[in-house]
Amino acid sequence: MFDEIIKNALQEDLGDGDHSSLACIPSNASGIAKLLVKDTGILAGVEVAKKVCELVDPNLVFEELLADGTSVKPGDVAFYLKGSARSILAAERTLLNFMQRMSGIATQTKSYVDLLEGTQTRLLDTRKTTPGVRYMEKWAVRIGGGMNHRFALYDMIMLKDNHVDFAGGIKEAILRTREYLKSTGKSLKVEIEVRNIAELNQVLETGMVDRIMLDNFTPELLKEAIEIIDKRYETEASGGITRETIRSFAETGVDFISVGALTHSFDSLDMSLKASF
């Protein structure tokens, strides 16, 4: 998947050739370029940049100075790239697009993780990702210190409000899910979303789940729900949780907090690839 994402990105950018470089740069021209950081944050995507360069031209020399997860500031140089000038320019935009966005996600994730320091709560991402590059975005979350929730629809069962409503209720949704797992022989964790204390009590009466997601609860109501659950199941808070409010949710003792904004509302980190002489 990793290679295919990068190959698709390169094909999208290069098409039948980088005609700007082909037009004016001699085929035997060589050079050096540096990845210049122009923002403060967490560096992410260095390993992706290596693969981009390898796929563009295996003869390019990648000299890494800073690894993924490093705290960076304006003026820092993440790596040098040496070799064919045409190849360097062919790789430039694709590696920058990945690195700027991944670094933005890692930086935002780290800012949320820092707000949870001293609590037991762990930060999760969601499936609210850019189509086609989820792998990279969830990788960036891990680099920033967060945890991945399920990767996609196939690796965990998550019974959300629509599933419950279409299934005919909480008990029906859980019982059908357990029958499905039994009949298919699949071993998947089951999480169910509840919208209020009444639905929570229905889940507790039915059982047969691994985690309960408490959606759009206030911190006060969440604390009450955590006390009712009493560690019988993993707990997750979700829904409109921001930097300003995340600490109050974590202090309820909830096990996980999921934040969609990690991957859908972030500022890319500014950086550029500059010729170095």
Side-chain angles (χ1 to χ4, degrees):
M1 180 181 293
F2 175 57
D3 282 13
E4 287 306 310
I5 291 172
I6 295 173
K7 287 176 183 177
N8 288 338
L10 287 169
Q11 178 58 38
E12 177 182 62
D13 199 37
L14 293 173
D16 69 347
D18 173 11
H19 298 299
S20 302
S21 296
L22 292 170
C24 70
I25 298 176
S27 60
N28 63 349
S30 62
I32 302 173
K34 62 183 177 183
L35 192 289
L36 181 65
V37 177
K38 300 159 77 174
D39 254 342
T40 300
I42 302 299
L43 187 67
V46 175
E47 293 302 314
V48 176
K50 284 182 188 176
K51 178 57 72 171
V52 170
C53 294
E54 177 186 320
L55 291 174
V56 167
D57 181 353
N59 293 316
L60 285 174
V61 177
F62 193 101
E63 184 185 339
E64 179 182 325
L65 301 181
L66 301 175
D68 285 332
T70 302
S71 296
V72 292
K73 63 185 183 306
D76 285 346
V77 175
F79 57 78
Y80 284 100
L81 196 54
K82 304 173 184 179
S84 164
R86 286 182 177 181
S87 296
I88 290 172
L89 292 170
E92 175 184 10
R93 179 44 52 195
T94 299
L95 73 81
L96 282 172
N97 282 346
F98 280 123
M99 288 195 67
Q100 287 178 299
R101 287 161 175 76
M102 289 181 70
S103 296
I105 291 170
T107 299
Q108 174 144 279
T109 300
K110 180 64 162 58
S111 73
Y112 277 86
V113 168
D114 287 347
L115 293 170
L116 298 177
E117 186 175 355
T119 73
Q120 68 172 19
T121 305
R122 289 163 284 179
L123 180 68
L124 299 175
D125 58 15
T126 70
R127 285 169 46 242
K128 296 175 182 176
T129 55
T130 308
V133 292
R134 178 177 294 170
Y135 183 94
M136 308 305 199
E137 294 182 347
K138 283 182 169 282
W139 187 356
V141 168
R142 297 196 303 274
I143 291 171
M147 295 178 63
N148 295 149
H149 205 298
R150 57 178 177 164
F151 184 81
L153 292 170
Y154 56 75
D155 60 347
M156 181 179 180
I157 288 181
M158 188 158 174
L159 305 175
K160 298 191 63 112
D161 52 358
N162 282 335
H163 296 95
V164 168
D165 291 342
F166 281 129
I170 284 174
K171 183 174 182 179
E172 291 81 359
I174 294 174
L175 292 177
R176 287 176 178 172
T177 293
R178 284 301 170 186
E179 183 57 37
Y180 172 79
L181 291 174
K182 182 179 178 181
S183 66
T184 60
K186 293 186 178 297
S187 179
L188 298 172
K189 292 229 171 186
V190 177
E191 178 170 6
I192 189 164
E193 175 184 285
V194 299
R195 294 165 282 194
N196 50 55
I197 297 296
E199 289 190 345
L200 171 60
N201 286 329
Q202 290 178 53
V203 171
L204 295 177
E205 288 171 8
T206 307
M208 296 185 288
V209 299
D210 299 289
R211 185 184 301 173
I212 300 173
M213 173 189 281
L214 303 133
D215 191 49
N216 286 308
F217 279 48
T218 64
E220 294 75 24
L221 193 58
L222 180 63
K223 189 169 190 277
E224 179 184 341
I226 297 298
E227 291 172 353
I228 292 171
I229 296 168
D230 193 27
K231 301 185 184 302
R232 284 176 282 177
Y233 301 97
E234 290 183 340
T235 56
E236 177 183 337
S238 180
I241 299 171
T242 66
R243 283 191 186 89
E244 290 71 32
T245 62
I246 193 169
R247 182 78 189 189
S248 61
F249 282 93
E251 288 174 348
T252 65
V254 69
D255 296 313
F256 303 97
I257 292 177
S258 53
V259 178
L262 299 182
T263 53
H264 73 61
S265 297
F266 60 91
D267 293 324
S268 294
L269 227 64
D270 191 14
M271 54 185 68
S272 58
L273 192 68
K274 291 295 186 184
S276 180
F277 300 97

